[in-house]
Amino acid sequence: KIESHLNNARAYDRSYYYNMRAYEALLKKDINRADTYCQMFMQIDLEIQFHSVPFFKGLTVSSQAQVLHKQGKYAEADAAISNVYQIAQRMKSRILEYMSLISNAQFAFDRGNGADGIAFLRQAMTIGREKGYGHATFYWWQPDVMSKLCAIALEHGVEVEYVQSLIRKCNL
């Protein structure tokens, strides 16, 4: 129903709509559709210079990194999430830093690199505990990914109390 009104919508609204459609497709494991919608919102974001605001660029590129990773485009996903981490560092944005570290942990574990995964996870969960982060503060939250990361964190004694509270609060 919304799609029929997109031609009359503001560019920002169209971008947000396509971003949410990409997220929905990712959650449904429809990676091709996620990529299509991701390309659509990325194009609009470029046109309206959404990327000129570092925080929004970080969110957008973080989304793109997730899709690239799921497509098996690991070098591109790593470059994208590295960009997000750099933005976070420049801005001193703990939420972007947390998001990039969670993604780095996810990427490392998915590729069988447990040592790096634990290091990233330890950093992310420490920030999460310090800031009280949960699913409401995490852009493109993926329950299956976070369930896996929380299980690994508990196995390795990483921020156990925080992780247990995250599991309870977010029904993981």
Side-chain angles (χ1 to χ4, degrees):
K1 188 172 181 177
I2 292 174
E3 252 178 273
S4 65
H5 300 286
L6 285 178
N7 289 337
N8 299 323
R10 296 175 302 178
Y12 173 82
D13 295 329
R14 288 193 319 275
S15 171
Y16 185 75
Y17 172 79
Y18 292 129
N19 189 300
M20 291 297 97
R21 291 300 306 263
Y23 175 51
E24 174 189 42
L26 185 75
L27 291 175
K28 291 180 176 181
K29 313 284 190 237
D30 187 345
I31 307 309
N32 290 332
R33 180 167 287 169
D35 181 52
T36 298
Y37 284 124
C38 188
Q39 295 303 319
M40 293 169 82
F41 78 75
M42 295 285 289
Q43 181 60 42
I44 294 169
D45 290 356
L46 287 173
E47 290 170 10
I48 62 174
Q49 299 182 350
F50 201 52
H51 282 151
S52 65
V53 179
F55 183 76
F56 294 125
K57 180 178 182 179
L59 293 178
T60 300
V61 174
S62 178
S63 304
Q64 180 187 38
Q66 286 294 325
V67 173
L68 291 166
H69 174 72
K70 296 290 186 180
Q71 290 176 311
K73 297 178 181 177
Y74 299 135
E76 291 176 61
D78 290 344
I81 210 64
S82 176
N83 188 4
V84 174
Y85 186 79
Q86 291 168 12
I87 291 168
Q89 294 298 299
R90 283 194 305 270
M91 291 181 60
K92 300 185 183 344
S93 170
R94 298 296 274 175
I95 187 66
L96 282 179
E97 183 179 6
Y98 174 78
M99 289 170 54
S100 67
L101 290 167
I102 288 289
S103 292
N104 273 316
Q106 170 198 356
F107 297 175
F109 287 121
D110 285 354
R111 298 177 202 163
N113 187 344
D116 283 350
I118 290 294
F120 289 127
L121 190 58
R122 192 173 305 283
Q123 292 175 55
M125 293 302 185
T126 298
I127 293 169
R129 175 187 50 78
E130 290 171 353
K131 296 295 183 179
Y133 292 152
H135 74 285
T137 54
F138 193 106
Y139 193 67
W140 277 42
W141 174 270
Q142 298 174 68
D144 60 332
V145 170
M146 290 306 296
S147 293
K148 176 183 172 182
L149 293 178
C150 285
I152 293 168
L154 291 176
E155 288 172 15
H156 289 86
V158 174
E159 298 291 347
V160 173
E161 287 181 32
Y162 167 68
V163 171
Q164 288 174 335
S165 74
L166 196 60
I167 291 167
R168 282 190 303 276
K169 289 178 188 175
C170 302
N171 297 316
L172 299 173

